Amino acid sequence: MKLGFLTACLPRESLENLVVWAKSIGFEMLEVACWPVKNTRDYSGTTLDVANLTEEQAERIKNLLEQNNMQISSLAYYDNNLHPDLVIRKSYHDHLKKVIDAANLLGVKYVGTFVGRNYNKTIKENFDEFEIVFKEILEYAKEKGVSIIIENCPMPGWNPNGGWMGTISYSPELWEEMFSRLPYDNFGLNLDPSHLLWLGIDPVSVIKEFKDKIFHVHAKDTQILKDKLNKYSIFGSQIQRKNEWDMGYWVYRMPGRGEINWKAFLKELKQNGYNFVVSIEHEDPEYEGTEEKVKEGLRLGFEYLKGILNEI
């Protein structure tokens, strides 16, 4: 397994600078942020402007990566592909196809996104929409030699009616439905254990069953605030939320600073044949605010995970 990170945490850095810095730390892969240049999403960025990528630029990027012994693990564009506003939904699909086109130009196998949710409908009703929407996306990606990977975040802030379900792809039950409805070979998971933990799911327990669908892995930890959980319940704070994303009883951490058993998780991945990237997704609020803090957090995460990978 190789270590990488999602570049959205350093949105002002150029791809060239990120490649050089990542190499200096020991990273071997980058998960490249590809949101639109004009974008207001949190934890997003535009390391690569896919809307204007040319073949000549793609060749320069491939040369840059080769010269630095670096690879792109995936191109990242996570938005609500089942958005209830069909105009907004189409804009997301149009950009996702540009990301797929860019992956084709760069020789990158994976494009990461969310399924999303039409929050005016039930989850069962959403799966009917999902089947139509993602069949087209997967067919398009297949023609380009690209696989689509789904991160398993519930995205609670996307649901204006409250609760967790801003996506329909956050649990093993829903993964079963997702892959049974669209059994494409180029359709898999970007498995993120941090979300499973606060949802009460043992991250290690899902690996064996879904080993053939784990195409890419995120490394993000979660700290459970037990006193807050006792106050708010698993449904999270309802009255005292600081914002729509604040559940109140958990916080994301760099790997090793939360409650995930990374040795058990990575060992189980290895034993079940996974040998691709472990990509740090940096959302630890204690290592945010400045570029220096973000890089310090990434460095600590790298050192912690590297130590475990050397052991297993």
Side-chain angles (χ1 to χ4, degrees), residues 52-105:
N52 295 296
L53 183 67
T54 65
E55 289 187 17
E56 183 181 349
Q57 289 171 332
E59 286 302 316
R60 286 203 297 267
I61 290 170
K62 287 191 279 188
N63 289 335
L64 169 71
L65 295 166
E66 185 177 353
Q67 290 165 8
N68 288 277
N69 296 314
M70 187 74 62
Q71 293 176 277
I72 294 176
S73 65
S74 71
L75 300 185
Y77 172 54
Y78 291 87
D79 249 314
N80 186 354
N81 287 297
L82 299 183
H83 197 286
D85 185 318
L86 296 184
V87 174
I88 294 174
R89 184 191 292 190
K90 184 178 185 302
S91 73
Y92 292 162
H93 295 176
D94 289 346
H95 188 75
L96 181 58
K97 288 176 180 176
K98 291 175 184 175
V99 180
I100 293 168
D101 291 342
N104 174 263
L105 278 179

Side-chain angles (χ1 to χ4, degrees), residues 100 136-148 186:
I100 293 168
E136 181 190 353
I137 291 169
L138 289 166
E139 289 286 353
Y140 188 86
K142 185 177 180 180
E143 290 176 6
K144 301 286 183 174
V146 172
S147 294
I148 299 296
N186 68 325

Side-chain angles (χ1 to χ4, degrees), residues 17-18 20 27-28 34 48 56-57 93 110 119 143 171 176 192-193 217 220 247-248 267-268 276-277 289 294 296:
N17 287 345
L18 286 169
V20 172
F27 288 106
E28 296 177 86
C34 296
L48 181 63
E56 183 181 349
Q57 289 171 332
H93 295 176
Y110 299 116
Y119 42 74
E143 290 176 6
S171 70
E176 288 173 359
D192 189 326
V217 170
K220 186 162 80 261
M247 302 291 285
K267 188 174 182 180
E268 185 75 2
F276 193 49
V277 73
V294 170
E296 181 184 358

Side-chain angles (χ1 to χ4, degrees), residues 119-267:
Y119 42 74
N120 296 322
K121 296 185 177 183
T122 67
I123 286 188
K124 285 186 177 180
E125 291 168 338
N126 265 268
F127 268 108
D128 293 334
E129 284 196 47
F130 153 81
E131 196 167 344
I132 296 167
V133 166
F134 269 82
K135 183 175 182 180
E136 181 190 353
I137 291 169
L138 289 166
E139 289 286 353
Y140 188 86
K142 185 177 180 180
E143 290 176 6
K144 301 286 183 174
V146 172
S147 294
I148 299 296
I149 53 175
I150 302 298
E151 187 191 343
N152 52 288
C153 181
M155 297 302 284
W158 279 357
N159 190 345
N161 302 312
W164 294 335
M165 297 172 287
T167 67
I168 63 165
S169 52
Y170 58 85
S171 70
E173 175 196 24
L174 301 175
W175 304 343
E176 288 173 359
E177 184 71 11
M178 190 167 68
F179 295 129
S180 67
R181 291 219 184 197
L182 293 175
Y184 280 71
D185 292 339
N186 68 325
F187 192 32
L189 292 171
N190 184 5
L191 183 65
D192 189 326
S194 67
H195 310 303
L196 296 173
L197 189 101
W198 69 262
L199 288 170
I201 300 169
D202 175 10
V204 178
S205 71
V206 308
I207 293 170
K208 187 173 183 179
E209 180 180 356
F210 292 95
K211 63 181 181 179
D212 294 333
K213 286 296 185 181
I214 300 172
F215 292 175
H216 196 282
V217 170
H218 266 175
K220 186 162 80 261
D221 216 331
T222 302
Q223 178 186 4
I224 302 295
L225 309 174
K226 299 292 173 47
D227 58 330
K228 300 297 184 183
L229 177 59
N230 289 335
K231 180 176 182 178
Y232 299 137
S233 86
I234 59 170
F235 296 105
S237 172
Q238 301 300 313
I239 296 171
Q240 299 176 349
R241 288 194 183 192
K242 298 171 186 174
N243 55 59
E244 67 270 28
W245 299 99
D246 177 34
M247 302 291 285
Y249 70 88
W250 53 266
V251 62
Y252 292 132
R253 295 296 187 201
M254 296 304 298
R257 302 189 69 238
E259 298 175 38
I260 291 171
N261 184 336
W262 287 99
K263 187 171 184 179
F265 180 73
L266 295 174
K267 188 174 182 180

Side-chain angles (χ1 to χ4, degrees), residues 10 21 287 289-299:
L10 291 166
W21 181 80
Y287 289 93
T290 67
E291 185 177 298
E292 289 73 23
K293 282 187 176 181
V294 170
K295 287 182 174 180
E296 181 184 358
L298 289 170
R299 186 182 294 106

